[in-house]
Amino acid sequence: MRHLCKYRFLQIIRNRFTLFWTLIFPIILMTFFSLVLSSAYEFQPYETLTIAMVDNDAYQQNVTLKDTLNQVENNGIKLFDVKETTKQNAQEMLVNKEVSAFVEVDDTIHVNINSSGMDETIIQTFFDTYLQQSDFITTLLEKGANPSEVNALFTETKSYIESEHEENSDFSSVSFYTCLAMSAINGAYLMLKAMYESQANQSGKAARVCIAPTHKLKTLLSNMFVTMLTQLVILLIQVFYLQMVLNVSFGDSLVPVLVLLSCAALAGNGIGVVVGSNFPKFRMDNKVSIVSGVSVFLSFLSGMMSLPIKWLVAQYAPFVALINPCNMITDGLYALYYFGIGERYYINLISLLIFSLLCFMIGYFSLRKKQYQWLEAR
Amino acid sequence: MIRLYFKVARSNFSSIAIYLCIFSFIFVFYSMSTKSDNNTNAYVEEKESIAIMDYDQSETSKELISYLESTMDVPSSIGDTLEEKKDAMFYGQISSIVEIPEDFESVYNQDMDTDIKVLERENSANGIILKQKVSTFLNNASMLMKTDSSLNMHEASLLVQKNLSSKADMVMQIDDNQDKLNAFRNSFFNYASYILMAIIIMVVGMAMMNIYQVEIMRRNLIAPVSSTKMNIQLIFANIIFGSIIWAILSCLIIFLCKENMFNVNGAMYLLNLYIFTIVCITISFFISSLLFNKQSGMGALNAIVNILSLGSAFLCGAFVPQAMIGENILRFAQFLPSYWYIKTSDMLTASFDETLLKESLCNMGIMALFGVVFVLLALYVMKQKRSQDSFLSSGDVE
């Protein structure tokens, strides 16, 4: 057993191809993520919107609107920077994107815009509210309210709301988790190679191994143990790189991260066992293509190329999310980061264990009691 | 040579099919997740999506919720628990979560400050509209009940909501719907750069690696065909193969964006994609010449494909728009053909004129130059490798 483990380990570390896929490639990908996503997913703090007001009599006479436009604020930042100008100028400013909208007041308020977006909605909400409040004041005065109290409605300071910003809500962190998940699934390459070298109908080396008086389960277990341990070390190096070099947070404690990654390494090897022990007519290259394609596809479904896809899959195809090991790893890490240790983390952990167990069972039943009448020389 | 090329490609059919199926599925799934069904030219209010947790369950809280539901988007599909709602907020499906505390009604009726919690993402500016609406509703209802003490909360709420029909007149100055359709088409073509690069380099590389096996090359070299002619035929076979992939992808995009493809910009997009296809073929040609006669060539090819396709897609703006990527990264990305492809693609969202034509053709020219450089490099590398003794003596094939 000790010898089996030792030589499997030596084979792994001498194989540049598998080491590249499991160790180097994810690190390169993480670096790409860090270069691009850090600025792309950064939330821009609120900035004052510039609007142009058409300088006509109706606007000049509406003192309440002028005052409100100049006073209204959000968290101490002025909501609008108002440019008073002629209609023609205002139109030009809108075309040249110098202002988000130009507004003309007559018997009602006309807001001219160039697109539908959040800025336009904020502007619309402000002017809608202004008009609704004006109507509301008429209703109040009809009911006999005191005009001085009514005026205070526009500058009401009573606080109804307490704003709270979520901590640990860095969107880009999940992208790094998908990378780590892909790396764990790429552990399948290690196991694929081990399977290739332990089935007599796959390679000459395997034919020699198979006639040795060693139980197949023993070979499988030693392969599994070494590849899993190697994969775990690789994942730890990547976690270290993410945390120390790229400053990616994993929540409060690293211990549950390590537990999850151990299960992830097991699941990655499980995929290698399934692909390696089946498809006997496929060449090693074809099997590598299968693992490579499956790993990219599973990573895509867990949000690697576009994060909202992870959420969409969980919402509209929960079964797919439930059986996708990449999603289990990503979601487990995300749950730890965003919610801390809890039910969701454990569900992902157990799902990974069940997935791995199924894979190893498939592998074991495909390999047991296999006999060959003749073998092609390879 | 062309017949040999397609024979070799057929022998790798299973791997090619796996790649084509997986990437086509990714492409179609991506399209489904980004498909916009907004076909109107009028201004559409971008209603902020929020979620509400009502711990008070009082008449006042229910009236507030009814008001928010009529003025904002409160999706019911995101789940009932706080965790599910926080999950939706993290992935940007809602912008804020309103938590109405247990003692809300009693505090509100005593005319004191209430502490409705609005949970937002870090540095988010999305809560402005929500806060404005909550404050307006509670202020107005309170003022109404103070003015007319016979009114209860429900009646006050109805009176407040009565004024919701007063709205500013929103006027769209340009055809916003065309902009949306253009952006939608653009996202497809940008994403196609990743899919196309991955498929072409992998599949063409796979075929070339098989042709470049020592035994096959030995047989080819004794044939009465010059090396240059052989290489030209190989390039031609690759172009035929690439054209087939380009046609499949183009048909898929035309089908998905049919309302906006039959115009000059649509044709320019297809031309841009075709030139990019040719550049990808030349890259693949160069890579396979480097991996010629190498052990684990297929493994290396797999690695290069993934790094090159994913790396180019991330750095050049296929997944994240170029406008959101840092300047230094873009400066580096200029050394990759994908940058020029995506830059042209982004430019083509504007309406067609002479300047756009000139700039697009200029970018396509730069892309084509990349292609020429890769072909020259590949021919140089092949020439070097063919002159090595090791080629004729070794059987160095896995």
Side-chain angles (χ1 to χ4, degrees), chain B residues 55-269:
Chain B
Y55 298 113
D56 196 35
Q57 296 289 337
S58 60
E59 192 194 350
T60 310
S61 69
K62 280 177 185 157
E63 291 301 334
L64 173 62
I65 291 170
S66 133
Y67 173 77
L68 288 176
E69 280 172 345
S70 62
T71 56
M72 304 191 86
D73 178 29
V74 186
S76 54
S77 59
I78 55 167
D80 298 324
T81 64
L82 183 61
E83 187 175 305
E84 284 170 315
K85 286 171 178 161
K86 277 180 152 188
D87 205 24
M89 186 166 78
F90 187 91
Y91 286 102
Q93 304 301 313
I94 55 168
S95 59
S96 353
I97 302 170
V98 181
E99 287 186 67
I100 304 173
E102 263 180 31
D103 56 349
F104 166 68
E105 188 174 57
S106 60
V107 174
Y108 177 71
N109 287 341
Q110 287 164 29
D111 206 20
M112 286 157 63
D113 287 356
T114 62
D115 47 2
I116 296 173
K117 205 156 85 178
V118 174
L119 203 60
E120 296 168 272
R121 297 185 55 151
E122 251 170 341
N123 302 323
S124 163
N126 287 339
I128 299 171
I129 298 168
L130 170 69
K131 287 179 216 162
Q132 191 173 8
K133 294 208 170 185
V134 171
S135 299
T136 304
F137 175 81
L138 294 176
N139 267 332
N140 290 2
S142 158
M143 183 64 95
L144 268 172
M145 287 191 290
K146 268 190 239 167
T147 308
D148 184 350
S149 51
S150 65
L151 289 175
N152 62 25
M153 187 63 199
H154 179 64
E155 289 160 338
S157 167
L158 286 178
L159 277 173
V160 172
Q161 293 192 46
K162 202 181 84 181
N163 293 317
L164 287 178
S165 56
S166 302
K167 283 182 176 280
D169 172 32
M170 299 298 285
V171 187
M172 282 294 270
Q173 292 284 315
I174 57 160
D175 186 353
D176 181 54
N177 187 46
Q178 191 55 43
D179 268 6
K180 280 181 184 158
L181 287 173
N182 288 349
F184 182 57
R185 177 182 60 186
N186 190 43
S187 68
F188 272 107
F189 277 96
N190 284 355
Y191 206 78
S193 70
Y194 163 62
I195 304 284
L196 198 76
M197 190 177 247
I199 293 180
I200 297 262
I201 300 184
M202 190 67 220
V203 173
V204 171
M206 220 180 258
M208 297 288 285
M209 296 276 294
N210 279 288
I211 289 174
Y212 283 165
Q213 277 183 35
V214 173
E215 292 87 348
I216 295 174
M217 281 308 281
R218 274 178 190 159
R219 283 204 296 272
N220 287 337
L221 283 177
I222 53 163
V225 182
S226 74
S227 169
T228 317
K229 201 174 173 189
M230 212 156 71
N231 277 329
I232 288 171
Q233 284 184 3
L234 259 181
I235 293 172
F236 190 61
N238 278 328
I239 289 175
I240 295 175
F241 192 81
S243 303
I244 295 170
I245 306 272
W246 168 82
I248 294 171
L249 210 57
S250 298
C251 288
L252 197 64
I253 298 177
I254 290 172
F255 173 73
L256 292 165
C257 311
K258 47 188 170 290
E259 61 272 73
N260 200 22
M261 276 306 294
F262 299 100
N263 49 38
V264 189
N265 284 41
M268 290 291 285
Y269 265 112

Side-chain angles (χ1 to χ4, degrees), chain A residues 110 133 135 158 166 286 334, chain B residues 15 87 111 120 140 166 169:
Chain A
H110 306 277
Q133 289 298 78
D135 284 358
K158 190 175 283 175
E166 269 292 82
N286 298 132
Y334 155 73
Chain B
S15 294
D87 205 24
D111 206 20
E120 296 168 272
N140 290 2
S166 302
D169 172 32

Side-chain angles (χ1 to χ4, degrees), chain A residues 17 20-21 25 28-29 32-33 35-37 39-40 43-46 74-75 79 91 94 102 108-118 120-122 124-129 131-133 135-136 139-140 143-145 149-150 153 156 158-171 173-174 282-283 285-286 288-290 292-294 296-297 300 304-305 307-313 315 334 337-339 344, chain B residues 11-12 14-15 18-19 22-23 25-26 29-30 33 43-46 48 77-78 83 86-93 108 111-126 128-129 131-136 138-140 142-144 146-148 151 159-160 162-164 166-174 176 180 191 194 202 206 298-300 302-303 306-307 310-311 314-315 319-320 324-326 329:
Chain A
F17 162 68
F20 170 83
W21 272 114
F25 175 64
I28 294 174
L29 208 57
F32 284 150
F33 273 127
L35 287 172
V36 176
L37 300 186
S39 56
F43 280 87
Q44 295 298 319
Y46 180 75
N74 174 52
N75 293 340
L79 201 60
Q91 260 166 341
L94 183 66
F102 85 82
T108 182
I109 295 174
H110 306 277
V111 181
N112 298 270
I113 47 171
N114 262 351
S115 59
S116 314
M118 192 45 79
E120 289 72 19
T121 304
I122 291 173
Q124 186 209 10
T125 306
F126 171 81
F127 285 105
D128 283 355
T129 310
L131 286 173
Q132 286 156 15
Q133 289 298 78
D135 284 358
F136 180 70
T139 312
L140 273 179
K143 287 196 171 287
E149 278 180 16
V150 168
L153 272 178
E156 184 62 60
K158 190 175 283 175
S159 161
Y160 293 108
I161 294 165
E162 190 185 303
S163 264
E164 201 172 280
H165 286 276
E166 269 292 82
E167 283 178 5
N168 285 1
S169 59
D170 181 6
F171 203 39
S173 56
V174 181
F282 279 39
R283 295 197 313 258
D285 288 345
N286 298 132
V288 167
S289 298
I290 293 178
S292 164
V294 165
V296 169
F297 182 59
F300 168 77
M304 192 166 87
M305 286 84 168
L307 281 181
I309 283 178
K310 178 185 178 319
W311 194 84
L312 289 172
V313 172
Q315 279 295 301
Y334 155 73
Y337 167 69
Y338 196 42
F339 301 112
R344 189 159 169 175
Chain B
S11 71
N12 283 299
S14 53
S15 294
I18 291 167
Y19 272 90
I22 287 176
F23 283 108
F25 185 87
I26 289 178
F29 192 87
Y30 174 79
S33 72
Y43 167 75
V44 179
E45 183 181 355
E46 193 169 296
E48 194 180 322
S77 59
I78 55 167
E83 187 175 305
K86 277 180 152 188
D87 205 24
M89 186 166 78
F90 187 91
Y91 286 102
Q93 304 301 313
Y108 177 71
D111 206 20
M112 286 157 63
D113 287 356
T114 62
D115 47 2
I116 296 173
K117 205 156 85 178
V118 174
L119 203 60
E120 296 168 272
R121 297 185 55 151
E122 251 170 341
N123 302 323
S124 163
N126 287 339
I128 299 171
I129 298 168
K131 287 179 216 162
Q132 191 173 8
K133 294 208 170 185
V134 171
S135 299
T136 304
L138 294 176
N139 267 332
N140 290 2
S142 158
M143 183 64 95
L144 268 172
K146 268 190 239 167
T147 308
D148 184 350
L151 289 175
L159 277 173
V160 172
K162 202 181 84 181
N163 293 317
L164 287 178
S166 302
K167 283 182 176 280
D169 172 32
M170 299 298 285
V171 187
M172 282 294 270
Q173 292 284 315
I174 57 160
D176 181 54
K180 280 181 184 158
Y191 206 78
Y194 163 62
M202 190 67 220
M206 220 180 258
M298 280 307 293
N302 240 317
N306 276 289
I307 289 182
L310 276 174
F314 272 111
L315 297 179
F319 299 148
V320 177
M324 289 166 82
I325 299 174
I329 309 291

Side-chain angles (χ1 to χ4, degrees), chain A residues 13-28:
Chain A
I13 57 166
R14 282 172 187 167
N15 190 325
R16 282 180 297 171
F17 162 68
T18 43
L19 272 187
F20 170 83
W21 272 114
T22 48
L23 178 66
I24 311 293
F25 175 64
I27 288 181
I28 294 174

Side-chain angles (χ1 to χ4, degrees), chain A residues 50-63:
Chain A
T50 309
I51 58 168
M53 294 297 299
V54 176
D55 196 2
N56 58 15
D57 290 345
Y59 173 63
Q60 288 302 336
Q61 282 161 16
N62 196 337
V63 183

Side-chain angles (χ1 to χ4, degrees), chain B residues 250-360:
Chain B
S250 298
C251 288
L252 197 64
I253 298 177
I254 290 172
F255 173 73
L256 292 165
C257 311
K258 47 188 170 290
E259 61 272 73
N260 200 22
M261 276 306 294
F262 299 100
N263 49 38
V264 189
N265 284 41
M268 290 291 285
Y269 265 112
L270 293 177
L271 177 67
N272 192 30
L273 189 68
Y274 190 72
I275 295 175
F276 185 69
T277 307
I278 306 290
V279 176
C280 289
I281 290 168
T282 61
I283 294 173
S284 185
F285 193 50
F286 172 59
I287 292 170
S288 21
S289 69
L290 283 178
L291 299 175
F292 171 72
N293 206 11
K294 287 253 191 250
Q295 271 197 340
S296 301
M298 280 307 293
L301 179 71
N302 240 317
I304 293 170
V305 167
N306 276 289
I307 289 182
L308 211 62
S309 59
L310 276 174
S312 292
F314 272 111
L315 297 179
C316 301
F319 299 148
V320 177
Q322 281 189 350
M324 289 166 82
I325 299 174
E327 248 177 63
N328 290 333
I329 309 291
L330 285 181
R331 214 166 286 149
F332 168 76
Q334 287 177 4
F335 294 100
L336 299 165
S338 297
Y339 170 84
W340 299 99
Y341 167 79
I342 291 167
K343 194 179 177 196
T344 315
S345 192
D346 288 347
M347 277 164 54
L348 288 169
T349 51
S351 47
F352 188 80
D353 59 18
E354 204 180 319
T355 325
L356 180 69
L357 178 71
K358 271 186 195 163
E359 286 180 10
S360 310

